């Protein structure tokens, strides 16, 4: 008896859609992305309970107050959870194999109370690992301006 469980090939289903979106992400996310253009990571802060959300939220997920305060957060954070991605959604909406598996991390920035999901550079991750944000202000698609994370030295 082997120690591992062989689950066989990963089941896949086709997603024949090719969404092209061009809508406003709203004032909160506009302000967040404007900050990234200047290399600043801005979280929203709840005036009632003081929780800091990154990505920013218009309404606090803890007490539902409107978050009109902002705080600038450091580039550093801690990996709370991670997974390995073997496929991505390609331009035609179909799943494509990645040339190399990628690590997707949930990162809680220092000073924030929520997590950001993004790619981690390299092939090693662990819970509790310190990481640093990789910001690309020139990204063609604004959602890629927070390009991912790399291990912090
Ligand atoms: Zn709150």
């Amino acid at each position: 008896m082997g120690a591992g469980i062989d689950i066989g090939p990963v089941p896949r289903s086709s997603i024949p859609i090719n969404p092209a979106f061009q809508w406003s992400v709203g004032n909160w996310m506009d302000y967040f992305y404007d900050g990234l253009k200047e290399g600043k990571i801005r979280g929203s802060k709840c005036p009632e309970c003081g929780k800091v959300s990154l990505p920013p939220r218009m309404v606090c997920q803890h007490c539902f107050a409107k978050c009109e305060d902002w705080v600038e957060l450091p580039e550093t954070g801690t990996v709370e959870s991670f997974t390995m991605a073997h496929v991505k959604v390609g331009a035609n909406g179909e799943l494509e194999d990645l040339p190399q598996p990628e690590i997707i991390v949930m990162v809680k920035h220092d000073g924030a109370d929520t997590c950001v999901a993004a790619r981690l550079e390299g092939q090693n991750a662990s819970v509790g690992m310190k990481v640093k944000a990789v910001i690309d202000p020139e990204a063609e698609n604004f959602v890629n301006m927070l390009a991912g994370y790399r291990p912090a030295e």
Side-chain angles (χ1 to χ4, degrees):
M1 288 279 286
I5 299 168
D6 182 10
I7 58 164
V10 176
R12 293 182 180 192
S13 46
S14 184
I15 310 166
I17 52 166
N18 183 15
F21 300 115
Q22 197 161 26
W23 64 46
S24 168
V25 290
N27 294 342
W28 262 247
M29 291 308 283
D30 276 348
Y31 189 69
F32 172 66
Y33 288 117
D34 284 348
L36 286 178
K37 283 179 203 162
E38 301 164 24
K40 292 176 182 165
I41 299 172
R42 294 168 174 158
S44 60
K45 186 172 183 178
C46 175
E48 296 295 326
C49 72
K51 299 260 189 210
V52 173
S53 296
L54 184 75
R57 297 177 64 99
M58 188 185 295
V59 176
C60 176
Q61 64 183 325
H62 300 282
C63 71
F64 307 110
K66 193 169 183 183
C67 297
E68 291 180 299
D69 299 335
W70 291 86
V71 287
E72 200 175 317
L73 295 169
E75 294 176 311
T76 50
T78 305
V79 172
E80 296 283 314
S81 176
F82 65 92
T83 189
M84 189 75 88
H86 295 268
V87 293
K88 68 173 184 176
V89 179
N92 62 358
E94 298 287 328
L95 291 179
E96 293 173 6
D97 284 311
L98 289 167
Q100 198 175 12
E102 291 182 353
I103 299 170
I104 307 297
V105 285
M106 293 295 284
V107 173
K108 190 183 274 187
H109 271 250
D110 295 335
D113 296 292
T114 61
C115 288
V116 175
R119 205 170 67 80
L120 178 71
E121 291 178 2
Q123 292 294 309
N124 291 299
S126 58
V127 172
M129 180 182 190
K130 299 300 285 181
V131 291
K132 202 172 169 193
V134 178
I135 299 171
D136 177 10
E138 310 289 311
E140 205 170 297
N141 186 336
F142 67 88
V143 297
N144 294 327
M145 281 199 293
L146 183 52
Y149 291 88
R150 63 166 168 260
E153 272 81 37

